[in-house]
Amino acid sequence: MHTVIIAEKPSVGRDIARVLNCKGKGDGYLYGEGYVISWAIGHLATLCEPEDYNPALKKWRMADLPIIPQEMALKPIAKTEKQLQLLARLLNDDKAEKIICATDSGREGELIFRYIYQWAKCTKPVQRLWISSLTDTAIRKGLDTMKTGTEYDNLFASARCRAEADWLVGMNATRAFTLRRNELLPMGRVQTPTLAILVQRQKEIEAFDAKEYFEVEAQFTKGDASYTGMWFNPKAEENKSRLYEKDAAEALAAAVKGQAGIIESIETAEKRVPAPQLFDLTELQRECNRKLNLSAQKTLSIAQSLYEKHKMITYPRTDSRYLSNDMVPKLKTVLENQVHAPYTDFAAPLLTPDKLPVTGRMVNDAKVIDHHAIIPTGSKKPLSALSTEERAVYDRILRNFIAAFYPAHVYDVTTVVTQVQQSGFEKPDFAENGIFFESKGRMDKELGWTALYSHEKTGEKEKDAEPALPVMTKGDAFSVTEATALKKKTTPPKPYTEATLLSAMENAGRFVEDEALKEALKASGLGTPATRAAMIEKLISSKYIERKKKNLVPTEKGMKLIAIVPPELRSPETTGKWERGLTRIANGELDAGKFMESIKRYIHYLVKGAR
């Protein structure tokens, strides 16, 4: 007799097999020491299509809507059906007396196993292995502290409700509005609000009315020392440096040129920027879009290759930016194994002390649920084995990991106010107490973690960079050698890039007013790190949006769709309400049947609206 363990992916199955000393190899499974270990490859079973219930439903007709099966059925996913059949045989083998669910520790991982278990019609007792890292210590501890599968029934109910509700709403809404408009209009709970975010930004850009304004910049000089300053109005509450009349700006510039400027005040403030946190998938995708101009989907594909093919990074489809405590002993080895330049030099200072500078910004068990942050594995594989793009993404991950141990970047920001002594100038109200110019300077004190990125600064304009100011003291006099009225215009909101759209999807709660829904979205956002890239690509393939250089812009089709769908379908509030309900189901506070009844009422409302 033996125990069957089902992991979510082959790599996890192999890790568990190593800990349990299971060295035997079968076709799609490992065995030994009283265990048979196999794995899913993501989802292996999925919800049936309408035509699977009734062949007549293959034809789309408004009269058939809404389609709400009395009981949702499952079917194999065609490309992985062989593995599903294998798992069914292993689960139902007469020699298998106990089952261990070892899929990912979270809602979706629970659903993957339960769908396999349900499709196989297995009734054997189940225990749940709940771990968030794959160190030997974590696996052994998890095996020693397993709970019965029934203790996770509420989590499964939450996962099943999410899957069935997505299916019901997406399928019925897509059919209803496609039939209404006579063109294919794919819809979904996540897809449609994401499109709505892009459409709203496009409307703001198109409605933007640019306004002209002027700023006056002065050059102050004394001997070899010089600096620039921008005029400002101390009385103004906002936009203090703006003048809206050209004549006034030019008159001010002419009046101060050649005059003396006296240093009114000098204030220096120390700024500390801590090292960046480790990457989760969304932050890695943002980083690679900003720095490497890679799409979210391309970044995910490369990260999967670095994980699966090259074994050089940990599991990438994670939403955590933290590591668990059991991983700390391995971190030094990962640093010691950085044998390639320039990473060796960056890692060396960290290895001198006896103990690595690990902080709470890096390690926090409470913030690791399914998977820990993305870090290098410590592989010594030659970098020449990687493609150009693989190496570029690996470089971002490796530098991020090493930088996380480094101290903060410390610099001083100095703000200088210069009062110009003017003559022959009829002072307006805002200058009755004097004419003032503000200058800012920045001086690095400790590079800290930014030393790992110093190669990127050459030729780049950093948004917070300021030139160093000359040595000066309060009361010093400088001459205004040049003064210019600069013509400028207010700028519209920027179109979304993939980096900024990923941020908007992750932080969708800011589009919602209800505080409880904000909190629900804070925990989940629109989609998951693993699905957001695919969602963006789906919007593109559906011709709802298009790429224009680095920007994502809605098409006419996308704009029209958002104009016709009901507010509930395009608002992130709906997702917030769902997530709040699903969380309550997982916590045993809400009956799954009541949640699904509310979904069915919502579907009737959508179909009625389309009609």
Side-chain angles (χ1 to χ4, degrees):
M1 304 300 284
H2 59 251
T3 297
V4 175
I5 301 178
I6 306 294
E8 187 163 322
K9 54 190 80 69
S11 60
V12 178
R14 288 191 290 269
D15 285 332
I16 296 172
R18 184 188 68 249
V19 170
L20 294 173
N21 198 32
C22 295
K23 297 180 179 179
K25 292 185 178 181
D27 185 10
Y29 63 95
L30 303 169
Y31 61 91
E33 304 286 334
Y35 292 96
V36 173
I37 302 169
S38 192
W39 44 80
I41 309 166
H43 278 283
L44 299 183
T46 189
L47 294 169
C48 288
E49 296 299 326
E51 54 268 30
D52 295 322
Y53 298 97
N54 182 351
L57 294 177
K58 188 168 186 177
K59 182 177 176 61
W60 293 20
R61 294 179 301 186
M62 191 71 85
D64 293 329
L65 301 179
I67 299 170
I68 303 176
Q70 191 167 2
E71 188 173 335
M72 305 288 271
L74 296 172
K75 67 177 183 179
I77 295 173
K79 65 179 181 180
T80 53
E81 184 172 359
K82 180 183 175 183
Q83 188 67 11
L84 179 60
Q85 297 283 4
L86 167 66
L87 295 183
R89 288 198 300 274
L90 294 177
L91 291 172
N92 292 317
D93 189 321
D94 291 340
K95 294 180 181 179
E97 61 177 348
K98 189 169 66 176
I99 313 298
I100 295 176
C101 166
T103 48
D104 291 352
S105 303
R107 189 169 72 188
E108 209 60 24
E110 192 68 24
L111 186 67
I112 287 172
F113 171 79
R114 296 289 188 119
Y115 273 3
I116 294 167
Y117 185 82
Q118 180 181 329
W119 187 84
K121 295 182 173 60
C122 185
T123 57
K124 294 175 183 177
V126 174
Q127 286 186 296
R128 184 58 156 106
L129 176 64
W130 190 273
I131 54 176
S132 55
S133 76
L134 294 170
T135 63
D136 290 8
T137 302
I139 293 172
R140 288 193 181 97
K141 182 179 178 182
L143 289 168
D144 289 339
T145 57
M146 289 188 296
K147 297 179 181 179
T148 61
T150 54
E151 293 195 48
Y152 295 88
D153 282 352
N154 287 334
L155 182 65
F156 169 54
S158 171
R160 185 178 60 191
C161 286
R162 195 281 307 157
E164 294 183 1
D166 271 343
W167 186 93
L168 288 165
V169 171
M171 184 276 299
N172 280 291
T174 296
R175 289 194 175 203
F177 285 95
T178 294
L179 290 165
R180 178 70 182 82
R181 301 291 292 188
N182 201 28
E183 68 173 318
L184 181 60
L185 298 174
M187 294 196 196
R189 174 180 62 102
V190 174
Q191 176 179 317
T192 308
T194 301
L195 175 60
I197 290 171
L198 290 163
V199 168
Q200 180 59 33
R201 176 60 56 87
Q202 186 62 26
K203 286 181 176 179
E204 291 168 0
I205 293 170
E206 291 174 358
F208 184 79
D209 183 18
K211 289 183 171 56
E212 190 177 86
Y213 67 94
F214 298 85
E215 291 182 334
V216 177
E217 184 180 70
Q219 180 84 28
F220 297 93
T221 305
K222 182 174 74 171
D224 293 334
S226 67
Y227 65 97
T228 60
M230 193 70 71
W231 168 85
F232 71 98
N233 177 4
K235 290 184 176 182
E237 293 184 2
E238 57 183 21
N239 298 325
K240 292 187 174 187
S241 66
R242 292 184 183 181
L243 289 165
Y244 292 97
E245 294 180 5
K246 180 180 180 182
D247 291 346
E250 290 179 342
L252 178 58
V256 299
K257 188 173 181 181
Q259 303 297 319
I262 308 300
I263 304 300
E264 178 81 10
S265 65
I266 303 173
E267 293 181 4
T268 299
E270 184 181 87
K271 304 287 185 181
R272 302 179 68 87
V273 182
Q277 288 186 275
L278 299 172
F279 286 139
D280 61 5
L281 176 59
T282 301
E283 187 56 34
L284 175 64
Q285 288 169 321
R286 281 196 290 254
E287 174 88 353
C288 291
N289 184 247
R290 288 192 301 258
K291 301 291 188 179
L292 307 177
N293 200 25
L294 295 176
S295 72
Q297 186 63 45
K298 184 67 173 176
T299 298
L300 175 55
S301 174
I302 293 169
Q304 281 293 128
S305 177
L306 289 170
Y307 166 67
E308 293 177 358
K309 178 181 175 183
H310 300 291
K311 320 293 183 191
M312 295 177 76
I313 66 169
T314 58
Y315 184 65
R317 294 172 183 258
T318 174
D319 62 357
S320 177
R321 303 188 69 178
Y322 295 85
L323 304 175
S324 50
N325 271 292
D326 63 277
M327 298 184 66
V328 173
K330 283 196 165 188
L331 300 180
K332 192 167 187 177
T333 303
V334 176
L335 288 168
E336 288 171 341
N337 287 354
Q338 301 315 317
V339 296
H340 307 295
Y343 314 113
T344 307
D345 295 337
F346 292 136
L350 301 171
L351 297 170
T352 304
D354 292 335
K355 189 176 180 182
L356 283 177
V358 176
T359 69
R361 281 173 57 81
M362 183 187 298
V363 176
N364 188 330
D365 284 349
K367 295 188 177 181
V368 180
I369 306 300
D370 299 10
H371 300 282
H372 58 70
I374 304 169
I375 64 170
T377 58
S379 168
K380 293 183 180 180
K381 192 171 189 175
L383 299 182
S384 57
L386 305 179
S387 69
T388 302
E389 288 182 331
E390 286 173 337
R391 180 163 182 176
V393 173
Y394 182 65
D395 175 79
R396 305 314 303 186
I397 296 169
L398 189 47
R399 285 180 193 271
N400 170 259
F401 172 70
I402 299 173
F405 294 97
Y406 267 63
H409 175 211
V410 184
Y411 59 94
D412 283 339
V413 173
T414 300
T415 303
V416 174
V417 175
T418 307
Q419 182 175 4
V420 175
Q421 309 297 307
Q422 81 290 344
S423 60
F425 177 58
E426 187 176 336
K427 292 181 287 187
D429 291 342
F430 59 75
E432 62 183 18
N433 295 316
I435 297 176
F436 299 93
F437 286 79
E438 184 179 79
S439 310
K440 284 187 179 291
R442 170 171 157 167
M443 181 69 71
D444 282 330
K445 295 173 73 175
E446 298 173 31
L447 287 177
W449 62 270
T450 63
L452 279 82
Y453 300 93
S454 58
H455 67 294
E456 294 182 348
K457 295 180 181 179
T458 305
E460 286 193 8
K461 183 179 180 181
E462 295 181 285
K463 65 180 181 179
D464 57 350
E466 298 287 352
L469 292 169
V471 176
M472 60 181 75
T473 59
K474 184 177 179 180
D476 281 356
F478 283 73
S479 175
V480 182
T481 53
E482 190 61 61
T484 310
L486 306 174
K487 180 181 175 181
K488 298 186 177 182
K489 279 187 175 182
T490 55
T491 55
K494 291 182 179 179
Y496 281 104
T497 62
E498 288 204 36
T500 55
L501 181 60
L502 286 168
S503 294
M505 294 174 76
E506 185 178 44
N507 301 292
R510 64 190 174 91
F511 300 101
V512 174
E513 293 183 6
D514 184 284
E515 288 303 320
L517 299 183
K518 269 185 186 289
E519 198 60 31
L521 282 166
K522 188 177 180 180
S524 61
L526 289 172
T528 67
T531 61
R532 286 174 190 139
M535 188 59 63
I536 292 171
E537 294 301 323
K538 189 174 180 181
L539 286 169
I540 292 171
S541 64
S542 299
K543 296 188 170 22
Y544 287 148
I545 66 174
E546 59 187 353
R547 286 191 178 94
K548 289 190 175 179
K549 294 183 179 178
K550 289 188 73 170
N551 297 330
L552 295 175
V553 180
T555 61
E556 185 179 355
K557 179 181 178 181
M559 300 282 282
K560 285 181 177 178
L561 173 67
I562 295 305
I564 66 169
V565 298
E568 292 85 352
L569 191 54
R570 63 175 181 257
S571 170
E573 283 199 23
T574 301
T575 291
K577 289 175 181 176
W578 283 30
E579 288 300 334
R580 184 172 61 181
L582 294 171
T583 299
R584 292 183 64 206
I585 292 170
N587 293 336
E589 299 166 357
L590 176 65
D591 179 69
K594 288 184 178 179
F595 177 86
M596 291 308 298
E597 284 303 316
S598 71
I599 294 297
K600 290 170 185 176
R601 289 194 298 271
Y602 178 52
I603 292 164
H604 280 281
Y605 163 78
L606 288 178
V607 172
K608 183 179 178 181
R611 286 195 177 118

PDB file of all heavy atoms in Angstrom, residues 423-438:
ATOM      1  N   SER A 423      15.175  97.121  -9.689  1.00  0.00           N
ATOM      2  CA  SER A 423      14.904  98.566  -9.743  1.00  0.00           C
ATOM      3  C   SER A 423      14.236  98.870 -11.076  1.00  0.00           C
ATOM      4  O   SER A 423      14.422  98.150 -12.057  1.00  0.00           O
ATOM      5  CB  SER A 423      16.209  99.366  -9.609  1.00  0.00           C
ATOM      6  OG  SER A 423      17.098  99.042 -10.667  1.00  0.00           O
ATOM      7  N   GLY A 424      13.461  99.920 -11.109  1.00  0.00           N
ATOM      8  CA  GLY A 424      12.800 100.322 -12.352  1.00  0.00           C
ATOM      9  C   GLY A 424      11.768  99.324 -12.822  1.00  0.00           C
ATOM     10  O   GLY A 424      11.470  99.256 -14.013  1.00  0.00           O
ATOM     11  N   PHE A 425      11.201  98.548 -11.892  1.00  0.00           N
ATOM     12  CA  PHE A 425      10.213  97.540 -12.282  1.00  0.00           C
ATOM     13  C   PHE A 425       8.968  97.741 -11.437  1.00  0.00           C
ATOM     14  O   PHE A 425       9.037  97.732 -10.200  1.00  0.00           O
ATOM     15  CB  PHE A 425      10.790  96.135 -12.048  1.00  0.00           C
ATOM     16  CG  PHE A 425       9.822  95.020 -12.358  1.00  0.00           C
ATOM     17  CD1 PHE A 425       9.260  94.892 -13.624  1.00  0.00           C
ATOM     18  CD2 PHE A 425       9.467  94.097 -11.383  1.00  0.00           C
ATOM     19  CE1 PHE A 425       8.374  93.869 -13.898  1.00  0.00           C
ATOM     20  CE2 PHE A 425       8.585  93.070 -11.658  1.00  0.00           C
ATOM     21  CZ  PHE A 425       8.043  92.964 -12.928  1.00  0.00           C
ATOM     22  N   GLU A 426       7.875  97.950 -12.107  1.00  0.00           N
ATOM     23  CA  GLU A 426       6.612  98.159 -11.387  1.00  0.00           C
ATOM     24  C   GLU A 426       6.139  96.812 -10.853  1.00  0.00           C
ATOM     25  O   GLU A 426       5.687  95.937 -11.607  1.00  0.00           O
ATOM     26  CB  GLU A 426       5.566  98.763 -12.330  1.00  0.00           C
ATOM     27  CG  GLU A 426       4.286  99.169 -11.604  1.00  0.00           C
ATOM     28  CD  GLU A 426       3.312  99.847 -12.551  1.00  0.00           C
ATOM     29  OE1 GLU A 426       3.741 100.393 -13.582  1.00  0.00           O
ATOM     30  OE2 GLU A 426       2.109  99.804 -12.260  1.00  0.00           O
ATOM     31  N   LYS A 427       6.240  96.665  -9.541  1.00  0.00           N
ATOM     32  CA  LYS A 427       5.979  95.356  -8.944  1.00  0.00           C
ATOM     33  C   LYS A 427       4.486  95.029  -8.928  1.00  0.00           C
ATOM     34  O   LYS A 427       3.692  95.832  -8.430  1.00  0.00           O
ATOM     35  CB  LYS A 427       6.525  95.314  -7.519  1.00  0.00           C
ATOM     36  CG  LYS A 427       8.046  95.355  -7.453  1.00  0.00           C
ATOM     37  CD  LYS A 427       8.560  95.290  -6.034  1.00  0.00           C
ATOM     38  CE  LYS A 427       8.317  96.614  -5.320  1.00  0.00           C
ATOM     39  NZ  LYS A 427       8.957  96.637  -3.981  1.00  0.00           N
ATOM     40  N   PRO A 428       4.112  93.872  -9.393  1.00  0.00           N
ATOM     41  CA  PRO A 428       2.719  93.432  -9.243  1.00  0.00           C
ATOM     42  C   PRO A 428       2.474  93.021  -7.801  1.00  0.00           C
ATOM     43  O   PRO A 428       3.388  92.960  -6.988  1.00  0.00           O
ATOM     44  CB  PRO A 428       2.633  92.238 -10.199  1.00  0.00           C
ATOM     45  CG  PRO A 428       4.031  91.704 -10.248  1.00  0.00           C
ATOM     46  CD  PRO A 428       4.938  92.899 -10.112  1.00  0.00           C
ATOM     47  N   ASP A 429       1.223  92.696  -7.498  1.00  0.00           N
ATOM     48  CA  ASP A 429       0.858  92.339  -6.120  1.00  0.00           C
ATOM     49  C   ASP A 429       1.706  91.200  -5.570  1.00  0.00           C
ATOM     50  O   ASP A 429       2.109  91.220  -4.412  1.00  0.00           O
ATOM     51  CB  ASP A 429      -0.624  91.950  -6.051  1.00  0.00           C
ATOM     52  CG  ASP A 429      -1.533  93.146  -6.291  1.00  0.00           C
ATOM     53  OD1 ASP A 429      -1.031  94.281  -6.165  1.00  0.00           O
ATOM     54  OD2 ASP A 429      -2.713  92.930  -6.592  1.00  0.00           O
ATOM     55  N   PHE A 430       1.974  90.168  -6.434  1.00  0.00           N
ATOM     56  CA  PHE A 430       2.676  89.004  -5.933  1.00  0.00           C
ATOM     57  C   PHE A 430       4.137  89.298  -5.607  1.00  0.00           C
ATOM     58  O   PHE A 430       4.822  88.495  -4.990  1.00  0.00           O
ATOM     59  CB  PHE A 430       2.588  87.823  -6.917  1.00  0.00           C
ATOM     60  CG  PHE A 430       3.159  88.108  -8.285  1.00  0.00           C
ATOM     61  CD1 PHE A 430       4.531  88.168  -8.489  1.00  0.00           C
ATOM     62  CD2 PHE A 430       2.326  88.302  -9.368  1.00  0.00           C
ATOM     63  CE1 PHE A 430       5.049  88.404  -9.752  1.00  0.00           C
ATOM     64  CE2 PHE A 430       2.837  88.543 -10.630  1.00  0.00           C
ATOM     65  CZ  PHE A 430       4.206  88.595 -10.829  1.00  0.00           C
ATOM     66  N   ALA A 431       4.669  90.441  -6.053  1.00  0.00           N
ATOM     67  CA  ALA A 431       6.078  90.764  -5.814  1.00  0.00           C
ATOM     68  C   ALA A 431       6.255  91.943  -4.887  1.00  0.00           C
ATOM     69  O   ALA A 431       7.346  92.499  -4.791  1.00  0.00           O
ATOM     70  CB  ALA A 431       6.773  91.019  -7.148  1.00  0.00           C
ATOM     71  N   GLU A 432       5.191  92.309  -4.178  1.00  0.00           N
ATOM     72  CA  GLU A 432       5.291  93.517  -3.347  1.00  0.00           C
ATOM     73  C   GLU A 432       6.295  93.361  -2.214  1.00  0.00           C
ATOM     74  O   GLU A 432       6.846  94.349  -1.712  1.00  0.00           O
ATOM     75  CB  GLU A 432       3.919  93.890  -2.785  1.00  0.00           C
ATOM     76  CG  GLU A 432       3.316  92.841  -1.873  1.00  0.00           C
ATOM     77  CD  GLU A 432       1.919  93.206  -1.399  1.00  0.00           C
ATOM     78  OE1 GLU A 432       1.280  94.078  -2.007  1.00  0.00           O
ATOM     79  OE2 GLU A 432       1.486  92.606  -0.407  1.00  0.00           O
ATOM     80  N   ASN A 433       6.551  92.118  -1.803  1.00  0.00           N
ATOM     81  CA  ASN A 433       7.530  91.884  -0.734  1.00  0.00           C
ATOM     82  C   ASN A 433       8.865  91.379  -1.275  1.00  0.00           C
ATOM     83  O   ASN A 433       9.694  90.874  -0.522  1.00  0.00           O
ATOM     84  CB  ASN A 433       6.974  90.898   0.284  1.00  0.00           C
ATOM     85  CG  ASN A 433       5.761  91.453   1.013  1.00  0.00           C
ATOM     86  OD1 ASN A 433       5.774  92.614   1.411  1.00  0.00           O
ATOM     87  ND2 ASN A 433       4.723  90.645   1.154  1.00  0.00           N
ATOM     88  N   GLY A 434       9.050  91.444  -2.579  1.00  0.00           N
ATOM     89  CA  GLY A 434      10.303  91.000  -3.177  1.00  0.00           C
ATOM     90  C   GLY A 434      10.096  89.970  -4.269  1.00  0.00           C
ATOM     91  O   GLY A 434       9.010  89.403  -4.413  1.00  0.00           O
ATOM     92  N   ILE A 435      11.152  89.744  -5.046  1.00  0.00           N
ATOM     93  CA  ILE A 435      11.109  88.759  -6.132  1.00  0.00           C
ATOM     94  C   ILE A 435      12.048  87.620  -5.739  1.00  0.00           C
ATOM     95  O   ILE A 435      13.237  87.844  -5.473  1.00  0.00           O
ATOM     96  CB  ILE A 435      11.528  89.395  -7.464  1.00  0.00           C
ATOM     97  CG1 ILE A 435      10.521  90.491  -7.846  1.00  0.00           C
ATOM     98  CG2 ILE A 435      11.619  88.348  -8.564  1.00  0.00           C
ATOM     99  CD1 ILE A 435      10.885  91.259  -9.088  1.00  0.00           C
ATOM    100  N   PHE A 436      11.519  86.378  -5.745  1.00  0.00           N
ATOM    101  CA  PHE A 436      12.259  85.242  -5.212  1.00  0.00           C
ATOM    102  C   PHE A 436      12.450  84.155  -6.285  1.00  0.00           C
ATOM    103  O   PHE A 436      11.560  83.907  -7.104  1.00  0.00           O
ATOM    104  CB  PHE A 436      11.519  84.633  -4.021  1.00  0.00           C
ATOM    105  CG  PHE A 436      11.347  85.595  -2.875  1.00  0.00           C
ATOM    106  CD1 PHE A 436      10.198  86.373  -2.762  1.00  0.00           C
ATOM    107  CD2 PHE A 436      12.346  85.732  -1.922  1.00  0.00           C
ATOM    108  CE1 PHE A 436      10.041  87.251  -1.712  1.00  0.00           C
ATOM    109  CE2 PHE A 436      12.189  86.609  -0.865  1.00  0.00           C
ATOM    110  CZ  PHE A 436      11.045  87.384  -0.752  1.00  0.00           C
ATOM    111  N   PHE A 437      13.603  83.526  -6.218  1.00  0.00           N
ATOM    112  CA  PHE A 437      13.910  82.399  -7.094  1.00  0.00           C
ATOM    113  C   PHE A 437      14.321  81.212  -6.218  1.00  0.00           C
ATOM    114  O   PHE A 437      15.006  81.386  -5.199  1.00  0.00           O
ATOM    115  CB  PHE A 437      15.048  82.755  -8.054  1.00  0.00           C
ATOM    116  CG  PHE A 437      14.639  83.685  -9.151  1.00  0.00           C
ATOM    117  CD1 PHE A 437      14.519  85.049  -8.911  1.00  0.00           C
ATOM    118  CD2 PHE A 437      14.372  83.212 -10.426  1.00  0.00           C
ATOM    119  CE1 PHE A 437      14.127  85.925  -9.914  1.00  0.00           C
ATOM    120  CE2 PHE A 437      13.986  84.077 -11.434  1.00  0.00           C
ATOM    121  CZ  PHE A 437      13.865  85.430 -11.189  1.00  0.00           C
ATOM    122  N   GLU A 438      13.877  80.028  -6.620  1.00  0.00           N
ATOM    123  CA  GLU A 438      14.209  78.815  -5.862  1.00  0.00           C
ATOM    124  C   GLU A 438      15.154  77.945  -6.668  1.00  0.00           C
ATOM    125  O   GLU A 438      14.968  77.750  -7.877  1.00  0.00           O
ATOM    126  CB  GLU A 438      12.935  78.024  -5.526  1.00  0.00           C
ATOM    127  CG  GLU A 438      13.208  76.796  -4.657  1.00  0.00           C
ATOM    128  CD  GLU A 438      11.942  76.030  -4.320  1.00  0.00           C
ATOM    129  OE1 GLU A 438      11.463  75.270  -5.192  1.00  0.00           O
ATOM    130  OE2 GLU A 438      11.433  76.217  -3.198  1.00  0.00           O
TER     131      GLU A 438
END
